[in-house]
Amino acid sequence: MVEDVHKPLAVLIVEDEPVNAAFLRGIVSKLAAVERIETVSSLREAHDRLGREGFDVVLLDLNLPDSAGLDTLMSVTSDWPQVAVVVVTGEHDEHTGLHTLASGAQEYLVKGKYDAYTLQKSIRYAVERKRTEVSQKRLLKELEGVNQELRDFAYIVSHDLKAPLRGISSLAQWIAEDYADKLGDDGKEHLELLLSRVERMHDLIDGVLQYSRVGRICEEQMDVDLNGLLVEAVDMVAAPEHIHIEVAEGLPTVHGERTRLLQVFQNLLSNAVKYMDKPEGQVQVTCEEDGEYWRFGVADNGPGIEQKHFERIFQIFQTVRGGEGRDSTGVGLSLVKKIVEMYGGRAWVESHVGKGSTFYVTLPRRHEPTAGTQDTAAREILEPAGRT
Ligand code: ADP
């Protein structure tokens, strides 16, 4: 394992031509930084040695009696991911060299075209690169673990809070029924207030659950025709008669989880309807090409939003004052943002107070696998049994 930059190095030379092997060994043995050199002449022996002793770097000839070309390299890098590899190739073209770097080598040298200085530099660079790569991988893994724990924690806590909340709600209802004659108007009003607070807390907990599900519970990814999806979203929003929703024709097909994409448009449309303050409400859904992305806009002629709230409203539980009615939990836009970011897109708003707002989201035009799809099975196993 490569750890300390100044640690003396152990080098394994894998070369079947005795003359080349001796030449390499001659140079390497003169390097002050090297404390141990071993030489083997086949891939099998190389694996054998690497399995028995620790090495920092392998000087690897690709064409050996028992393996040839990039297969040799990949066999070493896949079995010994923590060891740096300098490929020493007989091929003179740069193409082969670059291929070796893309296939996991840290450096490559062309036989007959390097001297002691170049070799020393290559060994040091290779070891240093491998060290950085290994520590980056380790950090990434730790980060993924912490993120996963956080997602599970939010999910489990919010799920478990629901049960006692249901209990409070039932008890309050029984008290209201069983002691109706003893409570008086004040008592009844207080109980009603308590019930409405319980309902609000229930909605907030549902919000956390929904938020923590994005990227954690994954459906099948598919090509989704947004024309059909928007018909469904408009239908679900069920706008009152004074609000007219117009959707652009010829919307594209994008790749993703259908339910999540529906959530994006449904949340944006339902906000446009929910906050509409004009006697004749106009909502328009548009789509334009924006480089490698589709840019969708949901524009309304509602109250608009002050610029100072543009960022805040995309955070969970953040509402603008006056919007904290029974229907407002501050979850909708945070979900929109989380979903489009999971697909590599963005979400933002442009707005003028009194005139209206346009919410924009972008989605990639080309399909790339997303983080949320990679280990669906593993994540679903983490789902505690019986929780929904
Ligand atoms: P919620 O609607 O439950 O409050 P959101 O996250 O969807 O949560 O929205 C956050 C805040 O952004 C809302 O409370 C509201 O103040 C503001 N907002 C969202 N959409 C609009 C809109 N179309 N017009 C005006 N204000 C909006």
Side-chain angles (χ1 to χ4, degrees):
M1 197 166 113
V2 185
E3 280 294 338
D4 175 10
V5 198
H6 304 291
K7 183 179 138 261
L9 302 176
V11 181
L12 179 66
I13 298 172
V14 187
E15 169 64 82
D16 61 328
E17 290 280 337
V19 179
N20 291 339
F23 182 65
L24 273 173
R25 200 181 171 97
I27 300 180
V28 175
S29 61
K30 292 199 185 83
L31 304 181
V34 173
E35 74 164 359
R36 184 159 57 88
I37 314 167
E38 305 288 344
T39 308
V40 293
S41 56
S42 71
L43 182 64
R44 191 185 54 74
E45 283 176 281
H47 279 300
D48 210 41
R49 266 296 159 84
L50 286 162
R52 275 191 283 134
E53 294 161 67
F55 286 93
D56 301 290
V57 59
V58 175
L59 304 184
L60 186 67
D61 177 16
L62 294 185
N63 293 320
L64 299 167
D66 53 351
S67 177
L70 287 180
D71 284 350
T72 312
L73 172 63
M74 286 193 289
S75 169
V76 172
T77 52
S78 69
D79 280 14
W80 312 104
Q82 299 200 320
V83 180
V85 178
V86 178
V87 164
V88 187
T89 167
E91 315 280 342
H92 285 255
D93 64 314
E94 203 167 312
H95 184 71
T96 314
L98 291 175
H99 250 84
T100 63
L101 295 185
S103 305
Q106 278 64 53
E107 277 280 335
Y108 76 94
L109 293 168
V110 177
K111 283 182 187 173
K113 303 237 170 192
Y114 61 88
D115 53 19
Y117 172 74
T118 329
L119 182 63
Q120 177 172 27
K121 207 169 72 163
S122 292
I123 290 176
R124 270 291 172 213
Y125 278 12
V127 169
E128 203 37 48
R129 278 192 195 128
K130 185 45 99 177
R131 200 178 67 89
T132 315
E133 187 191 307
V134 167
S135 78
Q136 269 175 354
K137 272 194 189 147
R138 195 170 46 218
L139 278 178
L140 210 68
K141 212 165 161 224
E142 279 170 18
L143 200 68
E144 272 169 16
V146 170
N147 273 338
Q148 185 63 46
E149 263 174 41
L150 263 177
R151 277 195 292 262
D152 292 343
F153 179 74
Y155 180 82
I156 291 166
V157 166
S158 51
H159 185 276
D160 290 356
L161 281 176
K162 272 181 140 183
L165 206 58
R166 268 196 299 272
I168 295 173
S169 168
S170 306
L171 279 169
Q173 267 161 3
W174 291 337
I175 293 172
E177 281 162 22
D178 296 353
Y179 298 90
D181 47 339
K182 297 198 181 95
L183 277 171
D185 289 345
D186 269 4
K188 280 182 194 154
E189 203 184 312
H190 287 155
L191 267 182
E192 263 164 40
L193 240 133
L194 186 137
L195 276 168
S196 77
R197 298 277 151 82
V198 167
E199 265 179 63
R200 177 149 180 81
M201 187 153 175
H202 185 273
D203 290 347
L204 293 174
I205 291 174
D206 263 350
V208 179
L209 279 173
Q210 280 193 50
Y211 189 81
S212 68
R213 275 193 185 114
V214 177
R216 184 174 173 279
I217 309 277
C218 304
E219 273 178 30
E220 188 197 346
Q221 301 248 350
M222 55 171 80
D223 286 338
V224 180
D225 171 13
L226 292 181
N227 297 293
L229 187 110
L230 256 298
V231 170
E232 206 176 312
V234 171
D235 225 44
M236 287 168 89
V237 167
E241 261 179 26
H242 74 283
I243 301 177
H244 178 68
I245 302 180
E246 191 186 321
V247 178
E249 285 175 9
L251 294 178
T253 291
V254 295
H255 197 85
E257 291 161 87
R258 196 172 191 285
T259 316
R260 297 284 172 233
L261 293 167
L262 185 63
Q263 249 175 330
V264 168
F265 289 100
Q266 197 197 328
N267 278 327
L268 294 178
L269 286 172
S270 76
N271 277 349
V273 168
K274 184 162 69 176
Y275 295 107
M276 181 56 68
D277 61 347
K278 306 288 186 306
E280 283 197 23
Q282 296 290 338
V283 180
Q284 276 179 319
V285 180
T286 55
C287 173
E288 280 174 57
E289 278 185 31
D290 184 356
E292 293 174 359
Y293 296 86
W294 295 113
R295 187 180 64 231
F296 301 93
V298 177
D300 64 56
N301 62 339
I305 300 159
E306 281 181 79
Q307 191 166 2
K308 64 177 180 196
H309 300 307
F310 282 6
E311 301 261 325
R312 204 168 66 82
I313 54 172
F314 286 95
Q315 291 163 20
I316 193 162
F317 297 149
Q318 296 299 322
T319 57
V320 177
R321 237 142 63 95
E324 295 122 359
R326 173 68 186 78
D327 270 359
S328 180
T329 54
V331 174
L333 290 177
S334 66
L335 272 178
V336 168
K337 184 171 182 307
K338 195 172 176 192
I339 294 168
V340 296
E341 285 181 356
M342 179 174 79
Y343 292 126
R346 282 193 316 127
W348 72 98
V349 65
E350 285 172 14
S351 183
H352 295 283
V353 174
K355 291 194 174 149
S357 317
T358 305
F359 282 86
Y360 290 103
V361 291
T362 58
L363 289 170
R365 290 167 55 197
R366 222 163 50 93
H367 159 52
E368 306 276 359
T370 60
T373 63
Q374 280 160 8
D375 54 352
T376 310
R379 283 183 190 159
E380 276 170 358
I381 289 166
L382 281 163
E383 190 77 2
R387 295 180 199 278
T388 52

